[in-house]
Amino acid sequence: MNDAPAAGARGAYGSGWFNAKYARGTLVWDGAADKLSVQVVSSGDDIAVADRSRYWAQGGISMNLQREDKWAAAAEAEHLPFAADKRLRSGLVYNADGQLWLLVTDTLCTAADFRSAVLQSVPGAGLEGIFLDGDGSSQMNADEAVLPGDSRPVVQMIALRSGE
């Protein structure tokens, strides 16, 4: 966030500054442009924003929701773990109006099934997003539901709040 990694010093191992081993889909909010995008980057240095003091980014794997012909090859290139296995899944998805959803499954599904459900259930045009870590770290604590995943400690969390 604003050129500071989630944990530790910028550029340090384990700080969150780098995507693990590969360039991967990263959801970026550019505060100066008030715009969300998915950028395939290797590190925080690669993120393109108008003002490096006004953004946040969350690494994952590109969903390529606008590119049915591209998503599976991109997920493989970005090394989406266990894509064909039925696992708990999570993701961040936005639409052209800038609405953002944090999605967590309570049932096991493949990456293709999860992506298909996103396309069928998230409203609005211009959908795009990323797969998050998933499986046991797919946890959620909301008024509507509590999903404990495998109850392991999760070092990083994402909190969403209504803009109202």
Side-chain angles (χ1 to χ4, degrees):
M1 184 159 150
N2 303 333
D3 257 5
R10 180 179 166 163
Y13 178 79
S15 67
W17 189 252
F18 299 98
N19 279 325
K21 301 179 189 171
Y22 314 103
R24 289 183 159 158
T26 299
L27 190 109
V28 178
W29 177 73
D30 183 333
D34 193 23
K35 180 182 172 192
L36 291 161
S37 65
V38 172
Q39 301 177 26
V40 179
V41 300
S42 294
S43 76
D45 294 316
D46 301 332
I47 295 170
V49 290
D51 180 350
R52 296 199 66 87
S53 70
R54 294 180 55 204
Y55 79 96
W56 58 258
Q58 172 60 53
I61 304 287
S62 305
M63 281 190 192
N64 285 292
L65 295 168
Q66 298 299 304
R67 297 292 309 268
E68 192 64 36
D69 61 325
K70 182 180 178 181
W71 90 267
E76 185 176 337
E78 295 178 27
H79 299 268
L80 176 62
F82 309 109
D85 292 0
K86 290 190 173 200
R87 305 264 178 141
L88 296 173
R89 303 280 171 181
S90 56
L92 278 169
V93 175
Y94 66 92
N95 66 20
D97 293 329
Q99 295 173 303
L100 180 65
W101 288 265
L102 175 59
L103 307 168
V104 182
T105 63
D106 62 353
T107 57
L108 304 176
C109 62
T110 66
D113 293 338
F114 183 73
R115 184 180 176 277
S116 179
V118 166
L119 287 166
Q120 292 173 18
S121 61
V122 177
L127 294 178
E128 198 49 82
I130 60 171
F131 293 97
L132 295 171
D133 188 31
D135 212 23
S137 65
S138 292
Q139 301 177 21
M140 180 174 71
N141 188 347
D143 290 341
E144 300 82 7
V146 175
L147 304 173
D150 63 6
S151 299
R152 72 175 127 169
V154 176
V155 176
Q156 178 191 356
M157 69 171 210
I158 298 168
L160 298 179
R161 63 182 174 115
S162 173
E164 300 171 2

